[in-house]
Amino acid sequence: MIIVLLNILVPVKLTDVSGDLTVPEGSNATLFCKATGRPPATIILSRELENSSIEELQQGPTIAWDFLNIRRTASGGYRCTADNGFTSDSKVFKVNVACKYTP
């Protein structure tokens, strides 16, 4: 008797990702990322800093990053990257924190 094990790989696809977001300073906001694929993907949420470096914010099977009382310093580019060792998928979006001008 021959036993054959078949491992089916399914490419990663980000299915639910925050889009570009504009929020008033002082409010709350949530960034989120979800993905499908087999094996299951690990997702990394990172922030693209002005000096071209990357700051990793959170890693896991799904992402929900909460900004409570968001500040203007949170404005900028963010990236969700999902990888399952077989394929990867990545999406970039922007967060714009609108603040009142005080001369």
Side-chain angles (χ1 to χ4, degrees), residues 4-99:
V4 176
L5 297 176
L6 183 60
N7 190 12
I8 298 174
L9 302 174
V10 177
V12 168
K13 180 173 174 70
L14 284 164
T15 57
D16 195 11
V17 178
S18 296
D20 290 346
L21 185 64
T22 299
V23 294
E25 187 171 40
S27 66
N28 299 333
T30 300
L31 305 182
F32 53 88
C33 309
K34 294 182 183 175
T36 60
R38 185 177 168 128
T42 297
I43 303 171
I44 297 172
L45 174 66
S46 56
R47 182 171 180 199
E48 300 175 338
L49 302 174
E50 290 181 19
N51 63 2
S52 299
S53 64
I54 302 292
E55 174 188 15
E56 185 177 308
L57 301 175
Q58 189 176 20
Q59 181 175 329
T62 61
I63 299 293
W65 180 265
D66 292 321
F67 286 104
L68 302 176
N69 194 24
I70 196 166
R71 295 283 153 228
R72 63 191 80 188
T73 55
S75 291
Y78 291 80
R79 176 185 302 268
C80 283
T81 304
D83 190 308
N84 69 354
F86 171 55
T87 62
S88 64
D89 192 11
S90 183
K91 297 215 179 192
V92 176
F93 53 95
K94 299 231 181 258
V95 172
N96 181 39
V97 180
C99 52

